[in-house]
Amino acid sequence: MHIRFLEVRDFRNYVHARVELTPGVVVLTGPNGQGKTNLLEAARYLSVYSSHRVSGDRPLVRAGCERALIRAEVLHGDRHLRLDCVIAREGANRVRLGGTPRRVGELIGAFATVLFAPEDLSLIHDGPAVRRNFLDGILIERRPGLAEVIRGYDRVLRQRNSLLRSARANHIPQSQLQSIASWDTQLAEFGAELEQERWLLTRALVVPLAEAYRGISGTDDQAIPRLRSVLIPDDLSEHPTIETIRERFLRALEEGLETDLQRGTTGVGPHRDELDLLLSGLVAREYASHGESWSLALALRLAAATVLRESSPAGDPVLMLDDVFAELDAARRERLAALISSYEQVLITAAIPEDLPEFHRPVQQVHILAGQVVDAAAGAPAAADGAAAGEPPEGSDPHHPVPPADVEAR
Amino acid sequence: MAYDGLIQQLIDELGRLPGIGPKSAQRIAFHIVQDPHYDPKPLGDILDRIRDVVRFCTICGNVTEQETCAICRDPRRDHRTICVVEEPKDVAAIERTREYRGLYHVLGGALSPINGIGPEQLHIPALLKRLSDPNVTEIIIATDPNVEGEATATYLSRQLSVYDLTVTRLASGLPVGGDLEYADEVTLGRAFQGRRNLGT
């Protein structure tokens, strides 16, 4: 799929901007602090309905305004998705598909994207929670209904922990804590489904991750994802079924109850999973160098893109690379460019065009200055070497030449 | 923003009610004070008397103005079946369907440790006491189909397992007139679990 146009109003530093985009590589250029990343953030918002930079929506609304608007048209095959979203400073946001109001939950997964950002280094170095979120994010894009399962799990877990804490505070012995079983049943129900999905996804990531890592690093080092959980049996001669996992979970809850009561929190379950990333057999979090960590983080995102591409009837996810090339050496830049260039559309931000490698396909340049799209010429040369614009990429419609960006100045 | 004297007191009092935020409280207060067509006297009278008049049925916990509620007193109701609900408003909802002719039991909420509600805070002993009546043969658990309602249903079914009773749980599934395509997965999954035989 690809974004055909993107429009923002009162979003971050933008009063209003609208830009027509072509399939293929789109490079957003301009000095720092002008709004390149903001535009990428807006496009990404229509995919996951949250920002990759801030946890709340407030900072997305331009200072002094009540609401921000993001609109886009996304094409895949013959289908047009017209998405728009009003982000309110106060109260609920409003999302629409083709002009019809929808719930956010119904739209997640409709427009698939994979974002690469400098913050991705935390995927390797931070605690297990970021890697669990990485898995869950892909799961939800592939099967939006899982969001409900994850929400249910979190809710039951909070109730159970709350019960454990109050039992501890009131010195209620284990024998009198009969109501805990009613929470355990549901915890195991939601948890087993989530756990199995995470396990299947981890398995699906094995080959793409190894390939992507080799591709980016240029080495033969093996990158392997491994889901570490007490709920998954060690003997994996057969796929763990939901029933197996549920039974293991219930048993673990029962055995751990005494410890749980002492600690006032639940010690087993998907919320304690760790996705180990092994590089040549060693856990990357502990052993990887800076360069290896970067390659691995990018490889994870690429593997996510591969999985989404394979499982999505909607076609390729749109790749978004926010200031990523500046972090890489020349050899990695070239290799990453080669790995992403087969995707239908790739949006890239770069402050310094010289940081970008040669893409070997037409590149649309979008120049951004002070919250305005000042130029959006299609098919302009990529890097500073002045290569001539190529033929329109496959899938673009020659009868609809891309008009210049419609800019509304204040 | 604060006003002088009584109007601010009224806004504050209204704002203490559930579901009424500061803006609504202010709007209602000014409506009461300003609208020439609105007579606040009946509301005042009701508020004045309500706590003395309304009480909870000593059998089922539903709202009533007498010792027991109209449903528990009604000899035409089926006294063999008790439907367990969370709140009196659930009784009203089920009554509107006119599908059910048995009795009720109002728990006064659902298990929710986060809100400090455990089994002790619910009217469970009163329910178990009612089961000493040999006429009762079926318990229908109609707690909400959310995480807390499910936990309550599971807890109750365990408590009731020692009695010689039929214990059923209200089916949850697809909304009538809805579209299968738009049902969320959990709902659809439940609907599958609760599917029934069409018979041949």
Side-chain angles (χ1 to χ4, degrees):
Chain A
M1 52 179 69
H2 68 271
I3 303 173
R4 182 149 142 148
F5 78 80
L6 175 67
E7 182 177 6
V8 292
R9 201 179 281 278
D10 296 325
F11 182 87
R12 292 277 193 183
N13 67 331
Y14 288 88
V15 176
H16 176 238
R18 182 187 154 106
V19 56
E20 313 280 333
L21 302 173
T22 55
V25 177
V26 178
V27 174
L28 309 172
T29 57
N32 281 321
Q34 307 298 305
K36 303 183 297 291
T37 295
N38 293 348
L39 213 52
L40 206 66
E41 183 182 33
R44 168 80 171 167
Y45 194 93
L46 290 180
S47 167
V48 294
Y49 296 95
S50 65
S51 157
H52 67 285
R53 298 152 84 198
V54 287
S55 54
D57 283 344
R58 245 163 201 277
L60 306 182
V61 182
R62 194 168 68 91
C65 298
E66 284 306 305
R67 58 190 68 85
L69 170 80
I70 313 171
R71 280 204 315 148
E73 186 174 67
V74 176
L75 265 72
H76 57 90
D78 295 336
R79 279 193 70 185
H80 296 228
L81 291 177
R82 279 187 300 125
L83 296 162
D84 63 88
C85 175
V86 173
I87 303 168
R89 188 178 286 277
E90 301 280 346
N93 295 348
R94 201 197 62 197
V95 296
R96 296 192 306 178
L97 172 63
T100 315
R102 288 292 175 83
R103 287 185 299 130
V104 166
E106 292 175 325
L107 291 187
I108 286 181
F111 169 37
T113 60
V114 174
L115 177 80
F116 300 63
E119 296 83 27
D120 286 349
L121 214 45
S122 71
L123 276 174
I124 313 302
H125 290 152
D126 281 9
V130 293
R131 284 177 294 280
R132 289 195 295 266
N133 287 341
F134 166 76
L135 290 178
D136 293 354
I138 305 172
L139 288 178
I140 292 170
E141 287 233 20
R142 286 207 304 182
R143 206 184 119 194
L146 275 175
E148 209 57 50
V149 173
I150 294 170
R151 253 197 300 280
Y153 182 81
D154 289 343
R155 178 89 189 150
V156 178
L157 184 65
R158 279 177 55 211
Q159 290 283 17
R160 188 180 194 267
N161 287 342
S162 185
L163 179 61
L164 289 168
R165 272 194 303 278
S166 77
R168 184 177 60 166
N170 299 316
H171 305 289
I172 295 170
Q174 197 177 323
S175 56
Q176 279 177 39
L177 207 59
Q178 287 153 340
S179 61
I180 196 112
S182 359
W183 298 108
D184 291 0
T185 315
Q186 285 189 86
L187 200 64
E189 196 77 32
F190 287 123
E193 185 165 6
L194 175 57
E195 193 69 67
Q196 196 205 30
E197 291 286 343
R198 281 186 185 164
W199 185 80
L200 289 170
L201 174 60
T202 308
R203 237 175 44 116
L205 284 169
V206 169
V207 172
L209 182 67
E211 279 175 4
Y213 187 80
R214 276 201 300 274
I216 292 170
S217 69
T219 66
D220 271 339
D221 293 344
Q222 281 283 329
I224 298 172
R226 183 181 67 189
L227 185 66
R228 194 143 50 85
S229 162
V230 293
L231 305 184
I232 303 287
D234 296 327
D235 170 27
L236 286 176
S237 48
E238 285 173 44
H239 289 191
T241 62
I242 288 192
E243 289 70 31
T244 325
I245 301 172
R246 191 194 304 139
E247 275 162 35
R248 281 179 79 94
F249 197 178
L250 280 172
R251 209 172 332 124
L253 286 169
E254 211 176 293
E255 286 165 4
L257 182 55
E258 202 178 325
T259 327
D260 284 359
L261 266 170
Q262 282 162 14
R263 298 198 181 139
T265 184
T266 304
V268 287
H271 63 288
R272 302 294 294 265
D273 283 359
E274 168 63 296
L275 177 70
D276 280 333
L277 300 167
L278 305 173
L279 263 188
S280 305
L282 297 173
V283 176
R285 189 183 176 193
E286 291 159 21
Y287 292 98
S289 70
H290 186 74
E292 288 171 333
S293 300
W294 251 113
S295 297
L296 190 54
L298 294 170
L300 271 177
R301 294 296 182 202
L302 277 170
T306 307
V307 165
L308 287 175
R309 175 186 238 178
E310 282 167 359
S311 63
S312 166
D316 284 2
V318 172
L319 304 194
M320 302 179 175
L321 284 74
D322 186 13
D323 255 336
V324 165
F325 286 100
E327 307 275 342
L328 305 175
D329 56 49
R332 282 195 171 90
R333 283 177 191 168
E334 294 294 338
R335 290 193 290 259
L336 179 60
L339 288 164
I340 57 176
S341 59
S342 72
Y343 281 82
E344 188 175 334
Q345 189 176 54
V346 183
L347 310 185
I348 295 166
T349 67
I352 307 163
E354 286 74 25
D355 283 346
L356 294 179
E358 177 63 53
F359 287 101
H360 305 292
R361 66 187 285 197
V363 171
Q364 179 189 3
Q365 297 264 8
V366 177
H367 198 64
I368 290 162
L369 212 56
Q372 288 187 1
V373 176
V374 291
D375 184 26
D385 63 2
E391 288 294 302
E394 206 179 317
S396 76
D397 185 347
H399 302 294
H400 288 93
V402 179
D406 157 25
V407 179
E408 188 176 286
R410 250 260 151 115
Chain B
M1 211 187 316
Y3 301 92
D4 285 337
L6 214 51
I7 182 85
Q8 186 60 42
Q9 280 182 39
L10 178 58
I11 294 170
D12 291 344
E13 282 302 317
L14 288 168
R16 286 171 58 186
L17 299 172
I20 298 184
K23 279 188 178 169
S24 301
Q26 187 173 312
R27 195 165 153 228
I28 296 168
F30 276 96
H31 180 82
I32 292 173
V33 172
Q34 283 181 322
D35 193 314
H37 305 294
Y38 180 74
D39 176 15
K41 198 122 179 51
L43 179 62
D45 288 343
I46 291 168
L47 290 179
D48 204 33
R49 293 189 301 135
I50 189 103
R51 285 253 177 153
D52 298 328
V53 173
V54 171
R55 35 189 157 163
F56 295 93
C57 172
T58 51
I59 298 170
C60 74
N62 194 11
V63 285
T64 177
E65 293 187 6
Q66 299 178 29
E67 188 73 11
T68 55
C69 73
I71 296 171
C72 286
R73 283 197 311 269
D74 189 343
R76 290 166 305 171
R77 305 286 303 209
D78 177 359
H79 284 241
R80 291 169 302 182
T81 314
I82 297 176
C83 177
V84 181
V85 296
E86 293 181 16
E87 306 285 351
K89 63 183 166 56
D90 301 326
V91 174
I94 296 174
E95 282 299 285
R96 277 197 297 274
T97 69
R98 294 168 186 269
E99 287 284 335
Y100 178 66
R101 298 295 306 157
L103 303 178
Y104 292 94
H105 192 84
V106 181
L107 292 173
L111 292 178
S112 178
I114 289 172
N115 301 313
I117 300 175
E120 310 77 37
Q121 278 70 40
L122 303 176
H123 299 150
I124 295 173
L127 174 65
L128 299 182
K129 204 174 126 209
R130 291 176 76 182
L131 301 182
S132 57
D133 177 353
N135 287 324
V136 178
T137 57
E138 184 179 358
I139 303 287
I140 301 167
I141 302 176
T143 50
D144 290 345
N146 54 25
V147 158
E148 290 77 17
E150 286 299 330
T152 310
T154 312
Y155 180 80
L156 278 178
S157 69
R158 279 168 208 239
Q159 299 285 305
L160 297 174
S161 62
V162 294
Y163 296 84
D164 182 23
L165 286 168
T166 307
V167 180
T168 54
R169 172 93 174 100
L170 225 53
S172 63
L174 300 170
V176 175
D179 219 328
L180 206 65
E181 185 192 353
Y182 293 121
D184 72 82
E185 262 187 65
V186 172
T187 305
L188 203 51
R190 290 260 181 81
F192 261 97
Q193 281 167 16
R195 70 187 183 277
R196 65 202 161 83
N197 206 327
L198 283 175
T200 43

